C-alpha cells in the first residue's frame, strides 16, 4: 500500500474516530515504518488485538498466538518486530534465536503470564510426579522451560489429547483449563499452594492454577442474557479465556483468529463479541455491513501500549530487544516446538 492507499484505508475505517489531520499523521507514520522496516530487513507481526490504525497498515502478518508463532519460526528476515505482548515476542525469540526480536513497549505484560513462576511449576511437579505439564503460551520463557508442552487457545484440546497420560497439569489459566476439562471430559482441581491433596482426590485428571486474564474475566453470563433479551437473534462468540459458564452460554468459542474466521465464513449479520475490543474494531472495519455488539471498551491495557509511534521507535532505536538465557531458551524451545508439531 502506498501513502494514498494507506490514507484512503484509514479514512474509510477510522474517520468517525480521528480528524483528517490525525489520519494524515498516521498514514505518514505508517510510511516511515514501511521504509525503515525495509532498511532493516525486518518483518512485522501484529496480533489481532492491535489497535486498528496499526493493525490495518504495517504488519506483514496478522493473527493469533499460534499463527504468529508459526510465522516467527518461518521468517528469513533479520529482525522480527512483534506488535503484541512480551510473552509473544519471547516465543518468537525462543523459535528464532539468531534473529533480533523487538517488542515495541516495555509495558506490554499480561496478567496470565504474570500469574505463575518457574518455581511454582517446580513445586507442582514435586506434588504430582510424572504428570505432564501443559502450559498456555501466555507465559514467560522460564515457565515454558519447566513445561512439557505449550498450547494456545487454538489448540489446547488437541494438545491435551495428544498426551499419553490420563492426568495433566494445565497452567496457568483457570478458565481455559476449565473449558478444556469440559471439552475433554476431565475432572479438574485447583490445589492450594503447599497443601497436600487428599486421598479422595486421586481420581483427578486435570490440575489447574488460579491465573486469569484480567480482560476476559470481566464478561458474565448476565451480560449475555441482557444482550439476548434485547437482541434475540444475536450470535455470541466468546474467547476461551472467558469463564466456563460464559463459554457455555455462548454459541461459539475459539481463538482470536477462529472468531474472526467464524464471523466471516458464516456471514453472521448480528454478533456479540466477548473478547478484547480493538479486535472488534478490526473485524468491523472488514465487515462494515454487519451489526457488532460488544461490552463497551474492554481493552487489554498491555496490548494497548503498542501504537504506530512505538513500532517506528522499535525499529529506529532497536528497542526493546528480547534476550533469553540460552539454557532456558533451549528448554523452552522443546515445549513450543512440541506444540508446533501437533499441526
Ligand atoms: P489468541 O491466541 O486467541 O490470539 O489469544 C491471545 C490472547 O492473549 C488472548 O487474550
Ligand atoms: Fe493477557 Fe488478557 Fe491481555 Fe491477552 S487480553 S494479553 S491474556 S491480559
Amino acid at each position: 500500500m502506498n501513502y494514498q492507499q494507506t490514507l484512503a484505508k484509514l479514512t474509510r475505517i477510522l474517520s468517525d474516530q480521528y480528524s483528517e489531520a490525525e489520519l494524515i499523521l498516521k498514514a505518514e507514520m505508517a510510511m516511515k515504518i514501511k521504509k525503515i522496516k525495509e532498511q532493516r530487513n525486518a518483518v512485522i507481526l501484529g496480533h489481532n488485538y492491535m489497535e486498528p490504525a496499526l493493525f490495518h497498515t504495517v504488519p506483514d502478518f496478522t493473527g493469533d498466538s499460534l499463527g504468529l508463532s508459526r510465522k516467527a519460526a518461518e521468517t528469513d528476515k533479520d529482525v522480527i518486530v512483534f506488535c503484541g505482548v512480551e510473552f509473544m515476542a519471547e516465543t518468537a525469540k525462543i523459535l528464532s534465536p539468531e534473529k533480533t526480536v523487538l517488542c515495541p513497549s516495555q509495558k506490554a505484560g499480561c496478567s496470565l503470564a504474570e500469574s505463575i513462576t518457574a518455581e511454582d511449576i517446580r513445586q507442582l511437579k514435586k506434588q504430582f510426579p510424572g504428570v505432564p505439564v501443559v502450559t498456555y503460551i501466555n507465559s514467560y520463557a522460564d515457565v515454558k522451560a519447566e513445561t512439557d508442552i505449550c498450547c494456545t487457545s487454538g489448540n489446547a484440546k488437541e494438545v491435551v489429547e495428544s498426551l499419553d497420560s490420563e492426568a495433566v497439569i494445565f497452567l496457568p489459566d483457570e478458565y481455559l483449563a476449565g473449558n478444556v476439562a469440559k471439552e475433554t471430559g476431565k475432572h479438574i482441581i485447583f490445589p492450594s499452594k503447599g497443601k497436600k491433596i487428599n486421598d479422595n482426590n486421586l481420581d483427578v485428571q486435570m490440575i489447574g492454577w488460579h491465573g486469569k486474564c484480567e480482560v476476559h474475566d470481566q464478561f458474565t453470563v448476565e451480560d449475555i442474557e441482557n444482550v439476548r433479551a434485547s437482541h434475540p437473534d444475536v450470535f455470541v462468540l466468546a474467547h476461551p479465556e472467558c469463564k466456563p459458564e460464559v463459554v457455555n452460554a455462548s454459541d461459539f468459542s475459539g481463538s482470536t483468529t477462529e472468531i474472526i474466521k467464524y464471523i466471516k465464513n458464516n456471514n453472521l449479520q448480528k454478533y456479540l463479541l466477548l473478547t478484547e475490543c480493538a479486535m472488534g474494531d478490526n473485524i468491523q472495519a472488514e465487515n462494515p455491513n454487519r451489526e457488532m455488539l460488544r461490552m463497551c471498551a474492554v481493552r487489554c491495557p498491555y496490548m494497548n501500549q503498542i501504537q504506530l509511534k512505538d513500532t517506528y521507535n522499535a525499529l529506529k532505536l532497536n528497542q526493546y530487544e528480547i534476550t533469553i538465557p540460552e539454557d532456558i531458551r533451549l528448554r523452552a524451545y522443546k515445549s513450543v516446538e512440541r506444540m508446533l508439531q501437533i499441526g
Side-chain angles (χ1 to χ4, degrees):
M1 271 195 301
N2 62 25
Y3 171 74
Q4 287 305 338
Q5 290 164 329
T6 304
L7 182 58
K9 186 172 192 187
L10 290 176
T11 306
R12 178 173 58 79
I13 61 178
L14 292 172
S15 55
D16 54 340
Q17 286 179 45
Y18 297 104
S19 69
E20 197 185 331
E22 285 171 312
L23 291 172
I24 288 173
L25 285 176
K26 286 183 189 296
E28 285 173 355
M29 183 55 79
M31 288 301 107
K32 282 173 73 177
I33 293 170
K34 203 173 165 207
K35 191 168 167 210
I36 195 169
K37 183 185 79 171
E38 272 151 30
Q39 285 165 353
R40 294 211 54 193
N41 192 29
V43 62
I44 300 181
L45 305 179
H47 187 262
N48 292 324
Y49 288 166
M50 287 296 103
E51 59 95 12
L54 188 158
F55 184 85
H56 291 284
T57 57
V58 296
D60 297 287
F61 301 101
T62 55
D64 61 6
S65 308
L66 183 59
L68 294 180
S69 303
R70 290 193 193 286
K71 291 291 174 202
E74 285 162 10
T75 184
D76 58 359
K77 301 288 184 188
D78 298 328
V79 179
I80 299 173
V81 182
F82 213 120
C83 293
V85 287
E86 193 183 329
F87 74 79
M88 296 180 176
E90 268 196 0
T91 307
K93 185 71 182 177
I94 289 167
L95 290 164
S96 299
E98 72 294 351
K99 302 196 191 308
T100 298
V101 179
L102 304 173
C103 180
S105 169
Q106 285 184 306
K107 293 183 185 154
C110 168
S111 63
L112 273 174
E114 267 127 53
S115 70
I116 193 157
T117 65
E119 181 53 26
D120 291 329
I121 302 199
R122 286 192 285 272
Q123 291 303 324
L124 280 169
K125 287 199 285 196
K126 267 191 209 156
Q127 217 177 338
F128 301 97
V131 178
V133 179
V134 178
T135 304
Y136 193 29
I137 198 129
N138 294 34
S139 55
Y140 291 121
D142 57 340
V143 164
K144 290 187 174 90
E146 297 295 336
T147 296
D148 293 294
I149 182 164
C150 285
C151 73
T152 72
S153 60
N155 63 14
K157 178 172 176 265
E158 287 74 16
V159 166
V160 167
E161 286 177 343
S162 76
L163 298 169
D164 191 17
S165 170
E166 184 67 7
V168 174
I169 300 174
F170 190 103
L171 310 167
D173 186 348
E174 171 181 338
Y175 300 150
L176 181 65
N179 287 317
V180 174
K182 189 160 172 263
E183 278 185 288
T184 54
K186 289 187 185 295
H187 168 207
I188 186 166
I189 58 146
F190 295 91
S192 311
K193 263 191 188 180
K195 279 202 184 150
K196 273 197 98 69
I197 299 293
N198 298 329
D199 282 353
N200 61 7
N201 277 329
L202 286 178
D203 70 327
V204 163
Q205 296 159 324
M206 198 183 264
I207 296 123
W209 189 256
H210 285 302
K212 289 184 185 74
C213 163
E214 66 186 60
V215 176
H216 292 92
D217 192 26
Q218 296 177 49
F219 301 115
T220 64
V221 174
E222 203 187 351
D223 290 333
I224 300 179
E225 285 168 356
N226 287 340
V227 173
R228 284 203 201 275
S230 44
H231 301 271
D233 53 342
V234 75
F235 191 93
V236 183
L237 304 107
H239 194 276
E241 288 170 13
C242 292
K243 298 173 187 81
E245 59 269 29
V246 169
V247 168
N248 211 19
S250 304
D251 301 305
F252 177 81
S253 178
S255 78
T256 54
T257 291
E258 287 167 341
I259 289 176
I260 294 169
K261 281 193 183 150
Y262 195 94
I263 293 168
K264 195 169 169 217
N265 296 344
N266 293 281
N267 198 16
L268 297 184
Q269 290 306 316
K270 188 190 277 191
Y271 57 92
L272 170 66
L273 210 53
L274 299 182
T275 190
E276 208 277 350
C277 275
M279 189 168 105
D281 293 327
N282 295 333
I283 297 175
Q284 186 75 359
E286 303 285 359
N287 305 277
N289 300 325
R290 312 198 192 171
E291 192 178 347
M292 177 183 63
L293 306 170
R294 59 183 168 178
M295 320 314 301
C296 273
V298 179
R299 198 67 187 90
C300 171
Y302 311 107
M303 293 278 186
N304 207 18
Q305 296 294 329
I306 296 164
Q307 312 282 325
L308 285 167
K309 186 80 200 295
D310 308 285
T311 308
Y312 176 70
N313 283 340
L315 281 159
K316 186 165 181 249
L317 305 171
N318 203 50
Q319 66 189 24
Y320 296 91
E321 192 169 352
I322 301 290
T323 54
I324 303 171
E326 188 58 6
D327 57 326
I328 290 182
R329 189 197 69 80
L330 281 172
R331 286 162 56 219
Y333 177 82
K334 284 188 194 150
S335 64
V336 177
E337 182 54 22
R338 193 170 167 196
M339 170 191 83
L340 292 179
Q341 294 301 328
I342 288 186

